[in-house]
Every structure is written in structure tokens, then in C-alpha cells.
Amino acid sequence: MRSPAALWPLLLLLTLTSACTGEQAPTDFVDKDLSGRINGKDWLYKYAYIDPTIETPEEDDMVFIFLPYKPKSPCPKADGGGGDERSVMVSAPKAKKLVKLKRGTSRSLVFHFDRKGEQFATVAKAGKIKISDISDSTVKGKIFAQYNDGNWVSGNFAAVVCDRRDLISR
């Protein structure tokens, strides 16, 4: 599996459609663990980390990677996914605040998924991320973002803060 970080340069260029479902996406934050739909299938985050090796357009941003499985190591660079190649990636400032997410800007959320053996990415049309707590080891907050009824997420999260050395040494 390619790391979701490998697709970051495509963030502003990708606009792909996916199958719509009958389930309606929420219109705001929901007060439960981050979940939603990616590529038309139900998705639930089980682990999140901040990857300091990914360069962002905004110098002081953190890049969050949300996975539907718990990886073998706390700061994985690429780890196989246990069969589920779907993930979410978003960039946010290192500050406790609410930030709007919008396609075509440095503040975007990307849905990553595998389609017929190839990596795809869809950029959310709009959304927001709110960072509520920052410590040396964990960042907590909530996200709402939507591309369509087949690609959306909403809910609370806690992400492990990784050290650059943890990811580069692999």
C-alpha cells in the first residue's frame, strides 16, 4: 500500500466522483467517534496520527492521517491496512481553533481509497476541523467534511503526535 502521504501533492488537482448512496450525510459535527462513508461504503476511524514528514502549503500545519484499523506501530509510514485501503487526510494549524475546509485551498480534506487495485483520492467540497486539545503526545478535536453522500466524515478524534525520526527511520 502506498502511504496516503504519497498522494498529498495531488490534493489540489484531484476531483473524482463516486457512487451516491441513499444515506444522507450529516450537515455538521456529530458527537461520536469519527465515522462516515468513503467510496460509498461505511467507514469508522480506529486510529489517527500526525505525520510530520509531509510538507504542507502552510508552514505551521499538522497533517492528520485517519485509518480504519490500528497499525502495527504507532507512527506507521505504510503498513498494509489489513485489507482496508481507505483513509482520510487533512491539514490543520497547530492551534486550538475552528478552521473551515474548502476544496482548492491549503485547508482541504482528502478521502483516499482503492478502486480496482489503483489508489484514488477525492477532495471534500467543504467542511471544518476544530482542534480542542493539544499536548506533546495527542491532539484531539472533531471534523465534518463532505464531498457527496458517498464520501463524508463527521465526529470526534484523538491523534497520536509522531516524531519525524519515527517516520524517517523506516
Side-chain angles (χ1 to χ4, degrees):
M1 172 186 147
R2 276 189 243 157
S3 167
L7 295 173
W8 186 256
L10 299 176
L11 172 66
L12 300 176
L13 301 175
L14 291 174
T15 305
L16 301 172
T17 60
S18 66
C20 290
T21 67
E23 183 179 346
Q24 292 294 315
T27 57
D28 206 344
F29 295 122
V30 294
D31 191 22
K32 64 179 186 175
D33 284 345
L34 184 64
S35 63
R37 295 182 70 77
I38 297 180
N39 196 28
K41 297 177 185 167
D42 289 343
W43 181 87
L44 173 67
Y45 114 100
K46 293 186 181 169
Y47 191 79
Y49 67 100
I50 297 169
D51 188 335
T53 65
I54 300 173
E55 293 194 23
T56 62
E58 304 292 329
E59 188 174 317
D60 288 334
D61 274 7
M62 302 176 282
V63 175
F64 294 84
I65 310 290
F66 297 92
L67 304 171
Y69 62 93
K70 184 160 171 119
K72 295 173 188 166
S73 65
C75 297
K77 194 59 180 168
D79 136 311
D84 192 343
E85 303 294 329
R86 297 171 301 154
S87 63
V88 171
M89 183 169 58
V90 66
S91 174
K94 294 178 187 173
K96 291 186 202 178
K97 65 190 218 177
L98 177 70
V99 176
K100 290 189 184 244
L101 304 172
K102 187 175 179 187
R103 167 190 258 150
T105 70
S106 62
R107 303 279 189 239
S108 298
L109 180 137
V110 181
F111 301 99
H112 294 275
F113 53 93
D114 190 68
R115 183 183 283 166
K116 296 180 183 175
E118 296 201 24
Q119 289 282 316
F120 277 79
T122 298
V123 181
K125 291 179 182 176
K128 53 191 172 180
I129 183 170
K130 182 176 183 181
I131 305 299
S132 58
D133 188 53
I134 300 174
S135 73
D136 290 341
S137 60
T138 308
V139 175
K140 295 179 181 179
K142 53 189 171 181
I143 295 176
F144 164 73
Q146 181 180 22
Y147 174 73
N148 60 17
D149 284 345
N151 290 287
W152 60 268
V153 292
S154 187
N156 305 316
F157 68 86
V160 172
V161 176
C162 294
D163 186 280
R164 184 179 267 298
R165 293 171 299 210
D166 294 335
L167 292 158
I168 292 176
S169 63
R170 294 178 191 209

